[in-house]
Amino acid sequence: LAAAAQEAVPVDDPKIEAWREAYRAFGAKPQRTRPSVDALVRRMPLPEINLVVDAYNTVSVRHGLPIGGEDLGRYAGTARLVRAVGDEPFEVVDKGETVIDTPEIGEVVWRDDLGVTCRRWNWRQCVRTRITEETTDALFLLERLAPMSLDELRAAGAELAALLEAVTPGVTIESRVVEHE
């Protein structure tokens, strides 16, 4: 896993630039709040967190796409990509303390029935739903924008599935592609 993680797309890859443009389009400054794949590529070598998080971070940098991992046991309802109202709770750690923050009005966020699970589309994940060593049921969100093709997305998904099978023998994996025009 460690060797594979060292193969990252370059920071100026068109797939990463597409995410910077998407951030600019909804009013975020990608130099200040970088898309997750942009931040990971700039942070090479990847930090080690746990085997599952390391697996999806590896696939993220190798393919140039954001990947979110969510602990479904801590989820309430379904994952939804929406524009924030501005009063949704977002649990983060600040200086070692857990605090509740809120997104800006109109900010693109992932959320469930309890609050925001990831701010600025794929910039920062909340504490509540992050994958830990205790996670037994997870959701992975592989997100693509043009110029990444659907075939490239599927290849990244297959690579993630293979890595998850290697680090968690006996894992059951289901996948589906959700397209939005």
Side-chain angles (χ1 to χ4, degrees), residues 150-173:
L150 202 48
D151 286 341
E152 289 175 295
L153 177 71
R154 285 187 176 110
E159 184 176 334
L160 176 57
L163 287 175
L164 292 173
E165 288 168 347
V167 300
T168 55
V171 68
T172 300
I173 297 174

Side-chain angles (χ1 to χ4, degrees), residues 2 4 11 15 42 45 52 55-56 67 79-80 91 94 97 102 110 123 128 130 140 145 163-165 171 179:
V11 147
K15 291 177 279 194
R42 290 173 188 275
V52 173
Y56 76 77
I67 300 178
R80 303 181 295 282
E91 184 182 5
D94 185 25
E97 298 292 321
T102 56
W110 280 100
W123 166 61
R128 175 174 54 90
R130 68 182 171 195
F140 298 94
L145 296 173
L163 287 175
L164 292 173
E165 288 168 347
V171 68
E179 293 186 72

Side-chain angles (χ1 to χ4, degrees), residues 69-121:
E70 302 286 345
D71 184 332
L72 283 178
R74 298 180 156 278
Y75 236 76
T78 59
R80 303 181 295 282
L81 185 64
V82 300
R83 290 210 178 247
V85 175
D87 63 355
E88 303 91 336
F90 179 71
E91 184 182 5
V92 294
V93 174
D94 185 25
K95 299 176 185 151
E97 298 292 321
T98 300
V99 296
I100 303 297
D101 193 7
T102 56
E104 296 172 13
I105 295 170
E107 183 179 324
V108 177
V109 298
W110 280 100
R111 68 159 302 153
D112 67 1
D113 293 346
L114 295 179
V116 173
T117 57
C118 193
R119 286 200 50 198
R120 295 218 161 93
W121 204 331

